[in-house]
Amino acid sequence: MPIVTIQQFPRSVEQKRELARRITQAFAEVYGAEEASVQVFFSEVEGENWAKGGVMGCDRPADPKA
Amino acid sequence: MPIVTIQQFPRSVEQKRELARRITQAFAEVYGAEEASVQVFFSEVEGENWAKGGVMGCDRPADPKA
Amino acid sequence: MPIVTIQQFPRSVEQKRELARRITQAFAEVYGAEEASVQVFFSEVEGENWAKGGVMGCDRPADPKA
Amino acid sequence: MPIVTIQQFPRSVEQKRELARRITQAFAEVYGAEEASVQVFFSEVEGENWAKGGVMGCDRPADPKA
Amino acid sequence: MPIVTIQQFPRSVEQKRELARRITQAFAEVYGAEEASVQVFFSEVEGENWAKGGVMGCDRPADPKA
Amino acid sequence: MPIVTIQQFPRSVEQKRELARRITQAFAEVYGAEEASVQVFFSEVEGENWAKGGVMGCDRPADPKA
């Protein structure tokens, strides 16, 4: 524990590496957790496996801020 | 919110599109939720990553109704 | 299969019963799935266990459409 | 999207508020994501619903760093 | 890793303790995993938060084998 | 029910088959559950989608016991 699971669009390893580093640090600073106890899982989802408002991601214009 | 995650066998985009549309509509009609607040995630599973009754999906005859 | 997990604010049993009924029916009609194979799980989340945009649900005005 | 689900021991609202704020900020800074698109769910687990190394949490001495 | 999440009806701590012990042992014997790396989470669901075949658990007769 | 979801590194079908068999058997023996009611899902994660202690799996030496 803690186990962090992130559902997101695909991102580069560089971005995931930096995000995991910051999230882990936040647990250490805010909770006093040992960094080694924090695990982060990235579950990447393509546009044909996600819908918002009933519209599939693959049927929308790409949104870099989503 | 609401976040809907569906574990299922692979399906065509047409089927997922229609299912996501109906599920989103159900939240709007039954809960009064705004459609834009509903997100649906499809997590597709192949037969070598799923077992029922201790028998792997890839060791069973295909079942179109499963 | 299919397994449907719904993360949502608490709702009445009547609303969940009706939603589960409609979602199950959607799987039967769109996928041709057997109704008995569809399971729906409701995972209800209170405002102190959910944040959007970095703001906890318990720090926002209640939104019946969320 | 992104949807962040955290499995953890129970924490105070103050700690969760601060953690959610920092995680949301990390998505904005590292991915360029819009803050409003980030949702964080806390799924709190008691010691009788978690085991590590085959030993239940409720059978271990409390560990503030876990 | 591995992280095991179990969605089930409520059970006694004795039953969960024994199940977690056996599952952890199975990972050690079948995968050669270190026992300390295996975490098991129990996510217990009441009958008003689960449906099968479109019928809520709380609307069915109790089934000790479910 | 019960639904078992396993987050793990990729393993061979032989290993997953044997693990699913044992886990299902454990539910039958410890809970008295019917074997047919137990479903096991394997969610396999590569090293570029997982971090521990803030370090990505792909940045560590491989660990067969992890």
Side-chain angles (χ1 to χ4, degrees), chain D residues 7-63:
Chain D
Q7 293 167 291
Q8 64 172 35
F9 284 120
R11 296 281 177 170
S12 71
V13 176
E14 286 69 32
Q15 286 179 306
K16 291 186 277 190
R17 181 183 288 119
E18 178 62 13
L19 194 85
R21 204 184 58 72
R22 291 202 191 193
I23 286 178
T24 303
Q25 209 172 21
F27 277 100
E29 290 174 15
V30 180
Y31 285 5
E34 227 171 321
E35 295 213 350
S37 73
V38 181
Q39 293 185 55
V40 179
F41 291 81
F42 294 93
S43 173
E44 296 189 324
V45 181
E46 303 279 351
E48 66 268 25
N49 281 318
W50 172 74
K52 187 171 151 53
V55 181
M56 299 298 284
C58 55
D59 296 338
R60 309 165 164 268
D63 176 357

Side-chain angles (χ1 to χ4, degrees), chain B residues 41-57:
Chain B
F41 291 80
F42 294 93
S43 173
E44 297 188 323
V45 181
E46 303 279 350
E48 66 267 28
N49 281 318
W50 172 73
K52 187 171 151 55
V55 181
M56 299 297 283

Side-chain angles (χ1 to χ4, degrees), chain E residues 3-52:
Chain E
I3 310 295
V4 182
T5 304
I6 299 170
Q7 292 167 291
Q8 65 172 35
F9 284 120
R11 296 282 177 170
S12 70
V13 176
E14 285 70 30
Q15 286 179 308
K16 291 186 276 190
R17 181 183 287 120
E18 178 62 14
L19 194 86
R21 204 184 57 73
R22 290 203 192 192
I23 287 178
T24 303
Q25 208 172 21
F27 277 101
E29 290 174 15
V30 180
Y31 286 4
E34 226 171 322
E35 295 213 351
S37 73
V38 181
Q39 293 185 55
V40 179
F41 291 81
F42 294 92
S43 174
E44 297 189 324
V45 181
E46 302 280 350
E48 66 268 26
N49 281 318
W50 171 74
K52 186 170 151 55

Side-chain angles (χ1 to χ4, degrees), chain C residues 38-60:
Chain C
V38 182
Q39 294 186 55
V40 179
F41 291 81
F42 294 92
S43 173
E44 297 188 324
V45 181
E46 303 279 351
E48 66 268 25
N49 281 318
W50 171 73
K52 187 171 151 54
V55 181
M56 299 297 283
C58 55
D59 296 338
R60 311 166 163 266

Side-chain angles (χ1 to χ4, degrees), chain F residues 3-59:
Chain F
I3 309 296
V4 182
T5 304
I6 299 169
Q7 292 167 291
Q8 64 173 33
F9 284 121
R11 295 281 177 170
S12 71
V13 176
E14 285 70 31
Q15 286 179 307
K16 291 186 276 190
R17 181 183 287 120
E18 178 62 14
L19 195 86
R21 204 185 57 74
R22 291 202 193 192
I23 287 178
T24 303
Q25 207 171 23
F27 277 100
E29 290 174 15
V30 180
Y31 285 6
E34 225 172 322
E35 295 214 350
S37 72
V38 182
Q39 292 184 56
V40 179
F41 290 81
F42 294 92
S43 173
E44 296 189 322
V45 181
E46 303 279 351
E48 66 268 27
N49 280 319
W50 172 73
K52 186 171 152 55
V55 181
M56 299 297 283
C58 55
D59 296 338

